[in-house]
Amino acid sequence: RGLATSTVRINQTYLLPFLGALGGDSSTYEAAAIQRFVIQHLGSRGRSEARLCTVALRSYLRCLVAEGRVAPGLVHCVPTVPQSSLSSLPRYLGAPDVERVIASCDVKTISGYRDRAILLLLARLGLRAGDIVAMKIGDVDWDRSTLRVCGKGRRETLLPLPQDTGDALLAYLKRRRPRVAIDRMFLTVRPPFRPFAGSASISISSTCRSTGPV
C-alpha cells in the first residue's frame, strides 16, 4: 500500500497481540473471536490508542480479503471506537498569533535562523513535522521557486515556495547551517551535527526559544 515505515511499525505493534491471540491461520478467524479480542484487549486502553488498533486490524483484514484468505464480511465485524464529533477538533493559533511566534525567533542566535525557517514552512505551506525532518537541500528548486515534498504513500508534490520562506531558508543555509557533508536541510546546532532524529524533534526545535536542546 506504500505505507510509510513508521506506519508499518505502528501497525505491527497493534497486530502482534491479535496474531498471538487468534493465530496466523486466517482460515480459522471468526467474527465472534475478532470482536472478543477487540473488547478484551482494548477495554482498558485510551480512545486514541484503541482507534489506532482497530484501524490497523481492519487494514490487515482487508489485505486478507484481497488475497481471498477470509470472507469480506470479517472486515465489518471489527467494533467501531466511539468518538465525539468535537473531540478531534484541532487547536490552532490565529493568524496574528502565528506571525508573533515567527517574529519571536531571535536570528542573532545559532538556532534562530533555523527555527524561523522551520516555522515558516509549517505556517505557509502546511508541512508536517515528518516533511521537515526528511527535507533535503536538493528538494528546493531556487530557479523555479518550488519545494519538492514526499508525502504519505511516497507521493512527490511540488509546492510553490513563498518569498519569505525562501529567504529564510537561504539565510539559514548561508549563515547558520553547519558546513558538513549532509544532504538533510535541517541539522542540530550542537556537534556532532546531524539530522533530526524524528518528528518529535520539530516540537522541541520550533519553540523559538533559541536555546533548545537540539
Side-chain angles (χ1 to χ4, degrees):
R1 294 180 53 201
L3 297 177
T5 303
S6 57
T7 303
V8 173
R9 285 200 296 265
I10 292 173
N11 286 351
Q12 287 176 336
T13 299
Y14 290 122
L15 289 175
L16 285 175
F18 173 80
L19 294 175
L22 275 74
D25 184 2
S26 57
S27 64
T28 63
Y29 293 172
E30 297 179 350
I34 294 174
Q35 292 177 339
R36 185 165 55 250
F37 165 81
V38 172
I39 294 172
Q40 294 176 350
H41 186 68
L42 302 181
S44 59
R45 297 177 182 264
R47 181 175 297 176
S48 296
E49 187 176 4
R51 184 172 179 273
L52 288 173
C53 182
T54 56
V55 168
L57 183 53
R58 289 191 195 96
S59 179
Y60 173 61
L61 291 174
R62 288 191 188 99
C63 289
L64 295 179
V65 170
E67 295 176 355
R69 296 169 60 184
V70 299
L74 280 183
V75 176
H76 305 293
C77 76
V78 179
T80 301
V81 178
Q83 187 171 8
S84 170
S85 59
L86 300 178
S87 63
S88 61
L89 287 177
R91 298 178 62 186
Y92 65 92
L93 295 176
D97 294 325
V98 170
E99 296 306 317
R100 280 195 289 270
V101 171
I102 294 172
S104 69
C105 294
D106 185 359
V107 294
K108 296 179 182 179
T109 64
I110 295 177
S111 60
Y113 276 94
R114 182 200 63 184
D115 293 350
R116 185 172 187 274
I118 291 174
L119 285 169
L120 284 167
L121 287 167
L122 294 170
R124 302 290 190 259
L125 298 179
L127 299 187
R128 300 174 300 133
D131 299 328
I132 302 293
V133 171
M135 187 181 300
K136 299 179 180 179
I137 296 176
D139 289 336
V140 180
D141 188 330
W142 300 105
D143 294 332
R144 295 182 174 83
S145 296
T146 59
L147 173 66
R148 182 176 65 244
V149 177
C150 186
K152 291 186 176 181
R154 303 185 181 92
R155 293 187 295 271
E156 288 192 357
T157 304
L158 284 180
L159 300 176
L161 191 62
Q163 185 68 45
D164 60 350
T165 309
D167 290 343
L169 283 173
L170 192 59
Y172 167 65
L173 290 172
K174 286 186 173 182
R175 301 177 186 179
R176 293 299 184 183
R177 187 181 184 276
R179 305 297 182 184
V180 293
I182 300 176
D183 61 351
R184 293 291 181 89
M185 176 69 76
F186 297 106
L187 305 176
T188 58
V189 297
R190 297 177 182 175
F193 304 114
R194 59 192 184 278
F196 293 137
S199 300
S201 301
I202 300 301
S203 299
I204 299 173
S205 67
S206 299
T207 58
C208 277
R209 296 175 182 174
S210 298
T211 56
V214 296

